[in-house]
Amino acid sequence: MIKTIFTFLFSILTIGGFAQSIDDPFSQKKMKKDFKIFKEIRIQANSGLYKYRTKEQIDSTYHWADQQIEKSSTYLDFYNIICQLTDYEGSLHNNTSLPKKYAKRLREENEGYFPYPIKWIDGKWLINYENGEVPLGTEIISINGIPISEVIENLYKYYTTDGRNITGKRIGIRTHFAKYFRFHYGQQQNFNVVFKRASSNETETKSLQSVSYKAYYQHFHSRYSKPYDHDYYKDLNENQKYRYKQIDASTGVLTINTFAMGSETTQEHKNYLAFLDSTFADIKAQKLKNLVVDVRQCGGGTDPNDVVTYSYLTQRKFQESKQVWISFNKIPLLKHFDSSVPKFLRPLGVGKFNRDFQNRFPKEKDGKYYISDEENEMKIREPNENAFTGNIYLLISPAVASAGSLFAAMVAGNKNTTVIGEETMGGYYGHNGHISFGYVLPKSKIITDFSIDNIEQDVPEKDNQSYDRGIIPDLEVSQTYQDFLAHRDTQMAFTLQLIETNEK
């Protein structure tokens, strides 16, 4: 009898502990409690809160959230509110994560997901999957009666970018479209898709049965565009992270897929320095006139790989940052910090971390704590003796972010640089980066992450650059439909043709 009772109680606890769904009821009282904590976290710890929005605008979104909570009843409702708020701030390092038990349940859902990945090509959202029920490359017009433009706009909140950038959000949507659709619209048994083939002006309709979470991602990993965009998603080996190739007597191509090559103390970083030194010594010896710098797959990495690379592409003294500040000198709201250390022990061990922040950010002015001039970010750097002095053609894309966009912004600011491609998700004038903080909302256990360093990058003003946008290309070029089908690189072909024309 005791064994039977124990088994029953264990099964109840198991159901309660592991079977929670994002569609479960969640009380407004808990939402209000977590929302109050969320606001305190942003105001006390997030230096990027008012980077792109005024206090009045942020207050207005908080008022909107209060109203939405009054209409909300599920865990997913609250998650969507938090996603909307963090996206509105405008930092690509903002992130809103489900706790493990909810994420696990989501991955186990066996229906309700759109079956195919999609991709933005030539201003349209196309099916990016071959041999499906809807033909490869067909343009989606609507899903379940909702215009695709409206669907996409509603999904923007799940993938954060710097400022008011939109192009970068397409990177998240092309990867997680089915999951984002499920978040906003819920699970669907069927998807009525209105589409149009490239060879026709007539629309067609197809009813697609939903698939599981895992099936969608299996389709994504078998996406048609994989041969073209696989570098962005791979766990790159060292020899895949960067490369150089001279293509003719006057032109070379330097490709950097990531700046994640370790710090000054690592062998991988030292290997990269040796690569740069030998490459640019060779470029100088060959007297090349043109250098294509391709960072289209570069989503970030570690210091100082970005600024060291820039030293080979500039003739000016420079800094990584003109200015860096945070909004506190002691870690605020410690009990909500995302840490495995028990709450009652945190005050005992936080002193060292607070002293580190106080040493790194010693200057206080108007509630902002500014970085020391002795830190590497403020170091005045010299051009390398083998720095390239010819024509630079910088290839960028919406995937460029963080350290990748900081580097690209500095190169884009050179007078000898022509920028080609599509707007980056990372900001031109600055971003929030370096140190990441995470907090756990107490009732929902939703994790909210953001970077605490408010950074002003060392770049010149440019007429085509807005403060709240990514790097804007001088020549906007995106992959064409025909090149998408053929896995051809439209932007590289355009650039090499431009160089050939300029040479003549």
Side-chain angles (χ1 to χ4, degrees):
M1 181 66 178
I2 293 174
K3 184 177 179 181
T4 304
I5 293 172
F6 177 80
T7 303
F8 173 75
L9 289 174
F10 180 78
S11 66
I12 295 295
L13 289 171
T14 301
I15 293 170
F18 298 99
Q20 289 175 289
S21 166
I22 57 175
D23 299 311
D24 285 346
F26 192 66
S27 73
Q28 291 180 2
K29 183 178 179 180
K30 291 181 179 179
M31 294 185 199
K32 291 175 182 179
K33 170 71 173 178
D34 272 7
F35 181 45
K36 180 176 182 292
I37 299 299
F38 176 85
K39 287 191 290 185
E40 291 176 5
I41 290 167
R42 310 319 271 197
I43 292 167
Q44 293 186 41
N46 184 11
S47 67
L49 182 60
Y50 305 122
K51 191 175 184 73
Y52 301 110
R53 308 291 186 181
T54 65
K55 184 179 184 302
E56 289 73 23
Q57 288 173 320
I58 293 295
D59 288 347
S60 178
T61 60
Y62 288 166
H63 178 66
W64 166 85
D66 276 325
Q67 294 178 316
Q68 289 300 116
I69 287 173
E70 294 296 336
K71 308 175 196 174
S72 299
S73 59
T74 69
Y75 188 93
L76 181 57
D77 290 338
F78 185 64
Y79 175 79
N80 282 334
I81 291 169
I82 297 299
C83 286
Q84 188 73 58
L85 294 173
T86 53
D87 176 56
Y88 185 74
E89 291 172 5
S91 173
L92 64 86
H93 289 118
N94 281 3
N95 192 42
T96 305
S97 305
L98 293 168
K100 289 181 180 179
K101 59 188 175 184
Y102 286 97
K104 180 177 183 293
R105 174 67 182 271
L106 200 71
R107 292 192 296 270
E108 293 171 348
E109 290 180 338
N110 57 19
E111 62 182 2
Y113 289 79
F114 191 81
Y116 306 124
I118 64 176
K119 190 170 185 179
W120 176 263
I121 299 289
D122 265 354
K124 302 169 184 175
W125 285 99
L126 308 182
I127 294 292
N128 188 20
Y129 188 79
E130 200 170 16
N131 302 320
E133 293 182 73
V134 178
L136 168 71
T138 54
E139 177 189 358
I140 301 175
I141 306 300
S142 67
I143 299 176
N144 290 348
I146 308 167
I148 189 64
S149 58
E150 182 180 334
V151 170
I152 296 300
E153 188 171 348
N154 284 330
L155 306 190
Y156 280 163
K157 61 179 170 287
Y158 301 115
Y159 198 82
T160 57
T161 56
D162 281 346
R164 300 171 194 261
N165 169 265
I166 289 175
T167 60
K169 294 179 180 297
R170 298 171 191 155
I171 301 300
I173 290 170
R174 79 181 186 190
T175 308
H176 303 293
F177 177 70
K179 182 171 73 171
Y180 292 170
F181 195 103
R182 187 262 186 269
F183 281 158
H184 187 82
Y185 294 102
Q187 289 176 282
Q188 308 287 315
Q189 289 299 314
N190 295 284
F191 297 89
N192 292 314
V193 181
V194 178
F195 61 93
K196 187 164 61 175
R197 300 172 192 260
S199 58
S200 173
N201 288 323
E202 300 295 322
T203 58
E204 303 176 48
T205 302
K206 183 75 175 179
S207 180
L208 303 177
Q209 188 171 351
S210 71
V211 298
S212 69
Y213 178 102
K214 291 178 181 178
Y216 167 77
Y217 281 103
Q218 288 170 352
H219 287 167
F220 173 75
H221 292 304
S222 301
R223 66 193 178 279
Y224 181 78
S225 66
K226 188 174 182 177
Y228 180 79
D229 57 28
H230 63 94
D231 279 348
Y232 184 72
Y233 297 97
K234 287 198 312 185
D235 185 10
L236 299 172
N237 297 322
E238 186 173 347
N239 63 358
Q240 297 171 315
K241 293 181 179 181
Y242 51 87
R243 61 182 178 272
Y244 171 74
K245 181 179 180 181
Q246 184 173 336
I247 58 174
D248 59 32
S250 64
T251 304
V253 178
L254 173 66
T255 302
I256 303 171
N257 290 324
T258 180
F259 284 116
M261 286 98 99
S263 63
E264 287 116 324
T265 59
T266 65
Q267 187 59 48
E268 187 175 5
H269 170 76
K270 294 172 184 176
N271 294 343
Y272 182 58
L273 293 186
F275 162 80
L276 289 174
D277 194 54
S278 62
T279 296
F280 281 90
D282 183 61
I283 289 171
K284 190 173 185 178
Q286 296 293 327
K287 299 181 180 179
L288 298 190
K289 298 178 182 177
N290 310 295
L291 181 62
V292 180
V293 180
D294 183 0
V295 293
R296 287 174 293 170
Q297 306 301 328
C298 187
T302 50
D303 291 337
N305 299 303
D306 45 5
V307 289
V308 169
T309 309
Y310 180 66
S311 72
Y312 287 89
L313 297 167
T314 187
Q315 284 77 58
R316 70 179 177 98
K317 293 181 180 181
F318 66 97
Q319 302 166 270
E320 179 179 333
S321 307
K322 288 182 180 178
Q323 177 178 278
V324 184
W325 61 273
I326 62 175
S327 53
F328 60 87
N329 68 347
K330 292 182 180 179
I331 298 176
L333 299 164
L334 195 61
K335 67 179 181 179
H336 300 300
F337 204 76
D338 185 15
S339 172
S340 59
V341 177
K343 292 180 182 180
F344 72 93
L345 290 177
R346 294 177 191 180
L348 302 178
V350 76
K352 179 183 181 300
F353 295 100
N354 286 334
R355 287 191 296 274
D356 287 344
F357 281 116
Q358 290 159 10
N359 290 333
R360 180 172 162 82
F361 298 94
K363 298 177 288 185
E364 189 271 334
K365 182 179 179 182
D366 299 329
K368 299 177 181 178
Y369 298 86
Y370 290 86
I371 199 167
S372 167
D373 292 337
E374 305 302 314
E375 295 292 330
N376 279 336
E377 290 87 344
M378 305 303 290
K379 177 182 175 181
I380 304 296
R381 299 174 183 268
E382 300 277 349
N384 190 277
E385 61 181 3
N386 289 323
F388 181 69
T389 59
N391 303 310
I392 298 173
Y393 296 84
L394 178 68
L395 299 190
I396 60 172
S397 81
V400 179
S402 194
S405 55
L406 182 147
F407 166 79
M410 297 177 84
V411 177
N414 292 349
K415 292 182 179 179
N416 61 333
T417 297
T418 301
V419 186
I420 299 168
E422 301 167 89
E423 180 186 351
T424 65
M425 79 167 84
Y428 174 78
Y429 287 108
H431 68 287
N432 261 61
H434 292 157
I435 303 170
S436 180
F437 266 24
Y439 286 90
V440 181
L441 303 182
K443 299 300 181 183
S444 64
K445 306 302 180 185
I446 287 172
I447 304 162
T448 179
D449 297 282
F450 50 90
S451 288
I452 63 171
D453 289 22
N454 192 314
I455 300 164
E456 181 185 343
Q457 294 167 182
D458 184 13
V459 295
E461 290 189 14
K462 292 184 69 176
D463 291 341
N464 70 334
Q465 286 291 163
S466 298
Y467 178 75
D468 56 358
R469 295 282 297 277
I471 302 163
I472 306 296
D474 300 312
L475 300 170
E476 186 171 351
V477 181
S478 57
Q479 190 180 37
T480 66
Y481 179 78
Q482 290 302 323
D483 285 352
F484 161 70
L485 294 179
H487 303 302
R488 285 195 298 258
D489 190 338
T490 307
Q491 294 158 336
M492 183 63 77
F494 174 91
T495 303
L496 297 180
Q497 181 61 54
L498 177 64
I499 291 172
E500 183 179 340
T501 301
N502 289 344
E503 290 282 280
K504 291 178 180 178

